[in-house]
């Protein structure tokens, strides 16, 4: 069937709901959201003002859902949104928005702007107006099983490696396990230390867990490109596997948007509550810590800080657990300026990392993170999202900063009590 | 025709001393914001002046204005008005009646043509050919049409002749208008016109205007409503002795509460002082004894156009002039119905879009990339 | 038309027309928005959506940490003119009499001299906000005609009120009439411009807080 402008406009029409309409009604063009967005603060270009990124959706809302807009449309006083305009907005909706949601905190009238950007992407992608990088990632995710093209054998290789390294058996397709572990492809390829780390922690804490050969990929390119149809297909794989294995929990790995996709969007995508719970690995670590099942020894004594992944913290609600866990193993943990829900994005969330066209802009706006890190003078940066980690390493390298980025789970595993 | 009496002769006959007259002139001068030195000049000039011939026409009126002007027990300042003028025709006061009275008017007009001052009291009905007010079978407008061309100036006495007043009040069944309106519409000849509004007007204002005319030979400076600025330059509110209470936020809430007894501001009880331009608060009434607010009642705004249509005398100035609840109720019904219609249309539109939705697949994304 | 006629019209038919347009317009815009509804959320809640919604409804009146430093004028100007506008509107004795006549409720007034100062400060804040809108790159870029119309509609009642209070420009009656008319213009423009946020901001804040509150985030 393909994509078309008409499909795009229909997509926008499908997405308008009470909050969206209220947000558009309420905007007073005060421009405060610009000051919350690193794409504006680091470039000074007004076109990056978050609310402006929603012009196509706003115009469709006005023309289709408001009496005055309908009258204007009827009188020929308002123009329909064109394909050229969607193309003009594509870089604004995809390249310069990481769905970090900081603007939603700033807005004085209370508009949840990122809620609308997520919805605007539904129309954009239906019109076929989305970055090639994201289209390709989504295609690979659906057809191959992972946006990075990672397949089951690659995971099995890494698991075998981890079993050898830890001397522990890593369960696979174990029905009745309490926890189903899924991973982001970055964790299978680049940051595979997570696998032995998780194995050791779960073994030490006595957690009953398993991988599934049907669903090991946690990321969801459908969410990033903004297609609920594709997102549903991807999330359903995990839901089916979890239901088949009758697990009580699915562990969302160190990946921000995977958490949002699984924890918050998934049930709505499939249209029903899950028969299992979704827990972020850091949440699980914190629960184990609180239950006394996670015992560590030794401390990292060097000064380090924590980068809050937006989807985990501000958009996910996992604010304190990473701090509780980090404090178990780090004696000199310092907060960045604007910590927790106020954090600044790494620049590569919301699909920006899959969009090569956005690389230059993303590295430019990394100056925000650089400023934050320069203020602290740390040499180690801990985070709990492999995409953040990837983007941070890229940004640090680009800005020639000598800072090591570490995954929180890994750091905990290194301090496990033997 | 005998030699016309000068004003000095008249005053002498009436036993008004020069000293008393000087005092009168000084008061007039001060009311009209003229320098005190003018008082002596004024007295001198007035003493030698011939009494101003005045023809006083009464139309749709209640005689309240005339009452106000003529009600004098002793030679008061107001009373002196009648010493300044030679009232050559005034139906109510005239001894003659019927044809004799009509003849007196014609004579006075002929004798003083181009010199007399025409005072008009009452509004003039225009509807149905003006039949709603006639004198000796002639309509007011006919009489006025005849008199105005011979007048040196016209003084509209009272709010009815100045602005239409009570006869003009909604729904104005007789089509009553003011003298000024007639001039504007070209229904009577344009002559210098002074509106001395008020229901009734303050007598001293009229004497002031006449004195001004006699002394300086000109008409006083007028405001946007054709009223002498010297008397109508400030609002009652701005000159009110209760003003400090307004500024302090001390208001009488009823006519019988502590605030009322303490003489607090009557704004909440409907006083129209803030929008009423007149000299009541300074010139006062009854020989300078008092004025309505001093007697405990708010200003009605009687010297302003359309004061009868400005809502209840007892509703505070900011209150809506007409009830809003019916309009508001209807608006709510219409708004809710229209909102529901648009909202349901929106829901239907979204539902249709969702039903027409075909699942987006990655293959769709690929086809887009083909040329 | 004379000042008195204008005032009589403004206090009579003018007010009725303005009120009807205001009510009909606000009802349409609010209901057409409200009826769109929100689909149920099947994700297991971590926190209370309602608690988050109510919380944000109030807390969003305070700036996000760091925001004051980044855009002081927007916040300070915004605070001053909003608060100033509502104080002058709600606590000036004649306004209370108007509101009492319309709603039946009344409350104590603030002294007139205080209202005078607050009104002047609000006027100054609105001028500053306008200058900022015209000169700041972001605000200039975002602004549409309606934003300036809304500004004028907010500004005029304050300005004419100030003029009337001080007997400036023209006679009090005419200025009072213009003041009432400017208020009526504001009423009419609320449903026709972004001034509609007067009502919808509460819905927006509530949803923002509720969406976050459900996830256990305080925003």
């Amino acid at each position: 069937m393909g994509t078309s402008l008409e499909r795009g406009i229909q997509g926008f029409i499908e997405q308008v709901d009470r909050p969206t309409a209220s947000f558009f009604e309420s905007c007073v063009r005060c421009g405060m959201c610009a000051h919350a967005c690193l794409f504006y603060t680091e470039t000074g270009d007004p076109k990056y003002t978050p609310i402006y990124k929603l012009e196509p959706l706003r115009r469709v809302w006005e023309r289709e859902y408001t009496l005055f807009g309908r009258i204007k449309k009827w009188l020929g006083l308002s123009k329909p949104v064109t394909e050229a305009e969607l193309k003009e907005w594509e870089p604004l909706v995809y390249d310069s928005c990481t769905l970090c949601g900081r603007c939603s905190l700033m807005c004085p009238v209370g508009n949840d702007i990122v809620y609308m950007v997520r919805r605007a992407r539904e129309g954009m992608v239906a019109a076929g107006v989305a970055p090639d990088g994201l289209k390709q990632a989504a295609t690979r995710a659906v057809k191959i099983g992972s946006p990075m093209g990672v397949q089951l054998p690659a995971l099995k290789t890494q698991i075998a490696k981890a079993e050898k390294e830890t001397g522990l058996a890593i369960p696979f397709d174990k029905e009745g396990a309490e926890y189903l572990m899924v991973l982001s492809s970055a964790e299978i390829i680049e940051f595979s230390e997570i696998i032995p780390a998780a194995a050791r922690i779960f073994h030490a804490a006595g957690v009953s867990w398993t991988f599934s050969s049907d669903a090991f990929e946690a990321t969801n390119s459908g969410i990033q490109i903004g297609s609920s149809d594709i997102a549903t297909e991807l999330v359903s794989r995990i839901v089916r596997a979890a239901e088949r294995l009758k697990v009580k929990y699915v562990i969302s790995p160190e990946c921000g948007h995977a958490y949002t996709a699984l924890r918050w969007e998934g049930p709505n995508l499939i249209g029903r509550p899950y028969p299992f719970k979704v827990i972020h690995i850091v949440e699980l670590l914190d629960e184990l810590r609180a239950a006394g099942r996670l015992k560590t020894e030794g401390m990292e004594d060097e000064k380090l800080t924590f980068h809050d992944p937006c989807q985990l913290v501000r958009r996910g609600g996992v604010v304190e657990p990473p701090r509780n866990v980090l404090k178990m193993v780090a004696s000199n943990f310092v907060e960045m300026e604007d910590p927790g829900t106020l954090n600044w994005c790494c620049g590569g969330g919301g699909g920006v990392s899959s969009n090569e066209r956005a690389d230059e802009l993303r590295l430019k706006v990394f100056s925000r993170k650089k400023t934050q890190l320069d203020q602290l003078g740390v040499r180690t940066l801990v985070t709990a999202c492999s995409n953040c980690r990837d983007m941070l390493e890229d940004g640090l390298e680009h800005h020639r900063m000598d800072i090591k980025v570490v995954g929180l789970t890994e750091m905990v595993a290194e301090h496990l009590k033997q | 025709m005998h030699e016309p009496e000068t004003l000095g002769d008249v005053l002498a006959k009436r036993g008004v001393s020069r000293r008393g007259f000087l005092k009168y002139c000084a008061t007039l001068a001060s009311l009209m914001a003229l320098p005190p030195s003018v008082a002596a000049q004024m007295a001198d000039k007035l003493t030698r002046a011939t009494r101003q011939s005045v023809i006083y026409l009464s139309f749709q009126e209640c005689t309240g204005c005339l009452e106000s002007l003529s009600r004098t027990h002793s030679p008061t300042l107001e009373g002196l008005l009648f010493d300044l003028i030679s009232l050559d025709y005034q139906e109510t006061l005239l001894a003659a009646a019927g044809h004799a009275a009509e003849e007196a008017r014609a004579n006075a007009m002929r004798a003083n043509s181009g010199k007399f001052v025409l005072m008009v009291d009452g509004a003039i009905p225009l509807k149905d050919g003006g039949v709603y007010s006639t004198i000796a079978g002639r309509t007011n407008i006919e009489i006025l049409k005849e008199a105005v061309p011979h007048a040196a100036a016209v003084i509209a006495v009272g709010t009815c002749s100045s602005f239409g007043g009570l006869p003009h009040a909604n729904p104005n069944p007789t089509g009553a208008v003011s003298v000024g309106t007639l001039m504007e519409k070209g229904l009577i000849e344009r002559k210098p016109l002074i509106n001395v509004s008020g229901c009734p007007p303050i007598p001293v204002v009229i004497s002031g205007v006449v004195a001004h005319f006699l002394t300086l030979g000109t008409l006083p400076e007028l405001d946007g409503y054709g009223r002498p600025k010297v008397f109508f330059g400030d609002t009652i509110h701005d000159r009110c002795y209760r003003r400090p209470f307004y500024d302090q936020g001390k208001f009488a809430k009823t006519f019988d509460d502590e605030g009322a007894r303490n003489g607090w501001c009557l704004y909440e009880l409907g006083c129209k002082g803030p929008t009423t331009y007149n000299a009541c608060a300074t010139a006062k009434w009854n020989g300078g004894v008092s004025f309505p607010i001093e007697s405990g009642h708010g200003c009605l705004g009687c010297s302003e156009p359309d004061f009868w249509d400005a809502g209840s005398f007892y509703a505070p100035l900011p209150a809506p002039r007409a009830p809003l609840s019916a309009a508001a109720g209807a608006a709510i019904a219409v708004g809710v119905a229209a909102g529901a219609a648009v909202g349901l249309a929106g829901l239907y539109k979204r539902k249709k879009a969702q039903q027409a939705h075909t699942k987006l697949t990655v293959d769709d994304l690929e086809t887009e990339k083909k040329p | 038309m004379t000042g008195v006629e204008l005032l009589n019209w403004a206090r009579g038919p003018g007010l009725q027309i303005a009120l009807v347009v205001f009510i009909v317009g606000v009802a349409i815009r609010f209901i057409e928005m409200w009826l769109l509804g929100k689909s149920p959320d099947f994700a297991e809640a971590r926190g209370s959506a309602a608690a988050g919604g109510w919380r944000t409804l109030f807390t969003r009146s305070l700036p996000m940490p760091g925001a004051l430093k980044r855009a002081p004028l927007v916040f300070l100007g915004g605070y001053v003119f909003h608060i100033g506008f509502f104080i002058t509107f709600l606590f000036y004795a004649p306004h209370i009499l108007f509101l009492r006549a319309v709603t039946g409720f009344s409350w104590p007034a603030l002294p007139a001299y205080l209202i005078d100062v607050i009104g002047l400060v609000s006027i100054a804040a609105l001028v500053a906000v306008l200058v900022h809108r015209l000169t700041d790159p972001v605000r200039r870029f975002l602004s549409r005609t309606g934003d300036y119309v809304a500004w004028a509609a907010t500004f005029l009642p304050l300005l004419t009120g100030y003029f009337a209070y001080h007997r400036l420009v023209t006679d009090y009656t005419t200025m009072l009439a213009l003041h009432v008319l400017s208020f009526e213009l504001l009423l009419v423009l609320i449903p026709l411009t972004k001034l509609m946020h007067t009502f919808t901001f509460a819905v927006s804040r509530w949803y923002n807080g509720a969406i976050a509150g459900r996830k256990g985030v305080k925003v």
Side-chain angles (χ1 to χ4, degrees), chain A residues 18 25 30 259 263 268 316, chain C residues 29 37 42 46 139 207:
Chain A
R18 185 190 298 152
E25 285 279 15
C30 72
Y259 183 65
R263 173 71 175 87
N268 298 313
Chain C
R29 277 185 80 168
F42 295 115
R46 176 182 282 127
R139 270 144 283 268
Y207 273 115

Side-chain angles (χ1 to χ4, degrees), chain A residues 16-19 21-23 25-36 40-42 44 46-49 51-52 55 58 61 65-68 102-113 115 119 259-260 263-265 267-268 271-274 276-278 283 313-319 337-338 341-342 344 368, chain C residues 24-26 28-30 32-47 56 60-72 74-75 82 132-133 136-139 141-144 146-147 191-209 211-212 214-219:
Chain A
V16 175
D17 62 355
R18 185 190 298 152
S22 175
F23 297 155
E25 285 279 15
S26 301
C27 178
V28 292
R29 263 85 62 196
C30 72
M32 282 313 297
C33 47
H35 300 275
Y40 170 74
T41 62
E42 305 312 299
K47 76 175 182 209
Y48 293 130
T49 304
I51 195 72
Y52 182 69
E55 265 308 281
R58 189 195 68 78
W61 158 75
Y65 286 105
T66 71
L67 178 61
F68 301 122
R102 207 169 185 273
C103 48
S104 299
L105 256 66
M106 177 68 98
C107 180
V109 293
N111 292 347
D112 193 345
I113 298 169
Y115 175 91
R119 286 172 172 263
Y259 183 65
T260 286
R263 173 71 175 87
W264 301 114
E265 284 216 24
N268 298 313
R272 62 179 167 89
Y274 293 150
F276 52 87
K277 288 177 192 289
V278 173
E283 270 185 293
V313 178
R314 178 166 45 241
R315 302 299 290 182
V318 184
V319 187
E337 188 187 30
D338 297 331
T341 51
L342 293 175
W344 293 88
R368 186 89 278 279
Chain C
V24 170
V26 168
I28 288 176
R29 277 185 80 168
F30 200 89
E32 76 187 7
M33 172 270 286
W34 191 262
L35 285 184
L36 289 175
K38 186 181 184 312
S39 31
D41 194 341
F42 295 115
E44 191 196 359
R46 176 182 282 127
T56 301
R60 196 49 71 92
S61 300
L62 298 171
M64 170 187 182
L68 262 182
K69 216 165 61 189
R70 287 189 175 271
V74 178
F75 269 100
H82 274 96
H132 195 227
R133 187 171 279 286
D136 178 79
V138 172
R139 270 144 283 268
F141 178 76
L142 290 179
S143 298
R144 303 195 288 262
D147 296 314
L192 297 175
T193 61
K194 67 173 181 182
L195 294 171
M196 188 61 196
H197 79 274
T198 314
F199 301 95
T200 56
F201 88 97
V203 181
S204 297
R205 284 186 183 182
W206 194 91
Y207 273 115
N208 192 332
I211 291 165
R214 214 182 145 77
K215 297 175 179 174
V217 181
K218 289 177 176 173
V219 289

Side-chain angles (χ1 to χ4, degrees), chain B residues 191-368:
Chain B
K191 287 280 175 182
L193 171 70
I194 305 151
N195 289 329
V196 180
S197 63
C199 190
I202 303 175
V204 77
V205 174
I206 294 174
S207 18
V209 170
V210 173
H212 194 287
F213 190 58
L214 288 177
T215 317
L216 305 171
T218 58
L219 294 176
E221 203 191 338
L222 306 177
D223 73 0
Y225 293 115
R227 301 177 296 199
K229 261 189 182 166
V230 286
F231 298 104
F232 293 89
D234 292 314
T235 63
I236 301 295
H237 184 63
D238 287 338
R239 293 283 174 199
C240 182
Y241 75 104
R242 297 197 188 200
R243 175 65 186 268
F245 294 118
Y246 174 87
D247 292 333
Q248 290 161 29
K250 289 181 175 166
F251 299 103
K253 310 277 179 190
T254 72
F255 284 108
D256 194 31
D257 68 357
E258 206 196 332
R261 280 189 287 276
N262 288 339
W264 289 355
C265 178
L266 300 165
Y267 186 75
E268 292 196 10
L269 290 169
C271 180
K272 302 297 184 295
T275 52
T276 305
Y277 290 80
N278 207 342
C280 302
T282 40
K284 299 201 178 173
W285 291 81
N286 301 325
V289 170
S290 176
F291 74 113
I293 293 171
E294 207 168 346
S295 311
H297 192 288
C299 169
L300 303 181
C302 74
S303 58
E304 294 301 308
D306 295 329
F307 82 101
W308 289 103
D309 294 329
S312 164
F313 291 148
Y314 302 100
L317 189 59
R321 208 162 56 79
L324 297 170
S325 44
I332 290 172
V334 170
V336 168
V342 184
L344 291 175
L347 275 181
Y348 178 69
K349 179 178 288 189
R350 190 175 67 196
K351 195 163 185 189
K352 239 174 41 182
Q354 283 165 348
Q355 279 167 351
H357 179 97
T358 44
K359 198 174 155 194
L360 187 80
T361 68
V362 289
D363 294 326
D364 292 326
L365 300 181
E366 279 179 348
T367 54
E368 173 66 12

